[in-house]
Amino acid sequence: MEIRQLKAQFETQLSALYDPEEARRFFELLLEAYESKKRIDLVLTPDLTTMQPERWQAAFEALRRFVPIQYIIGATYFYDLHLEVTPATLIPRPETEELVAWILHDLPNTTGTILDIGTGSGCIPIAIAKNCPQASVTAIDIAADALAVAQRNAQRNAVNVHFIQENALDTDAMEVRFKAQFFDCSVSNPP
């Protein structure tokens, strides 16, 4: 199937559900994720074809059901880091980047200890660890599947974060786990 046909399908059929610019951006994100091509590649080689039309069709149907594009491609960017996201994690929000910027501004080049509560994809502790490699960063989440994604993200971004599965609302368990431990910064950004 020719990719320009897919582009036309996205533009005509999804523009009834999304802003036309957003539908075009979805197509471009999928073009890069599925075909490792940019928009310019389609201009330079208009007869590009895909060997995986079923994958494109599945993405198209998911978008028609308003599944976020990040879940469809399984990734997003956060604070210039490439992160995996799955339905087990929330998609990092722009406001969360602002939170990280605030922490990094207040604790520049920290060698201190930082705790992220409810880490999800690990976006916050990974961004902090990437920008403050001397910091000791710990992240907790109750969900094992979210922690697995966070651990893969830490490995992909070559940072050291200590991940712990724990229920932050279980004060007795938290007291036992972190009994005499002090953190210079505790952060949480729940939905």
Side-chain angles (χ1 to χ4, degrees), residues 70 87 96 100:
Q70 296 91 337
T96 308
V100 169

Side-chain angles (χ1 to χ4, degrees), residues 56-165:
W56 279 91
Q57 192 59 39
F60 178 76
E61 293 302 324
L63 286 167
R64 289 174 53 106
R65 293 188 317 273
F66 299 102
V67 174
I69 189 71
Q70 296 91 337
Y71 287 154
I72 294 169
I73 62 176
T76 194
Y77 284 92
F78 177 86
Y79 221 80
D80 293 329
L81 302 170
H82 186 259
L83 299 176
E84 174 187 350
V85 291
T86 72
T89 66
L90 295 176
I91 299 164
R93 303 182 312 264
E95 306 84 59
T96 308
E97 287 187 332
E98 292 174 21
L99 176 63
V100 169
W102 180 45
I103 292 167
L104 293 173
H105 177 267
D106 284 0
L107 301 170
N109 302 316
T110 187
T111 57
T113 55
I114 299 167
L115 173 66
D116 177 40
I117 301 168
T119 200
S121 67
C123 63
I124 293 172
I126 292 168
I128 292 170
K130 192 72 169 183
N131 288 279
C132 292
Q134 305 303 331
S136 174
V137 183
T138 301
I140 64 172
D141 202 294
I142 192 171
D145 48 354
L147 283 172
V149 171
Q151 288 171 330
R152 289 192 298 271
N153 283 330
Q155 289 172 340
R156 175 180 290 114
N157 288 284
V159 297
N160 185 22
V161 176
H162 180 64
F163 293 101
I164 300 170
Q165 184 176 1

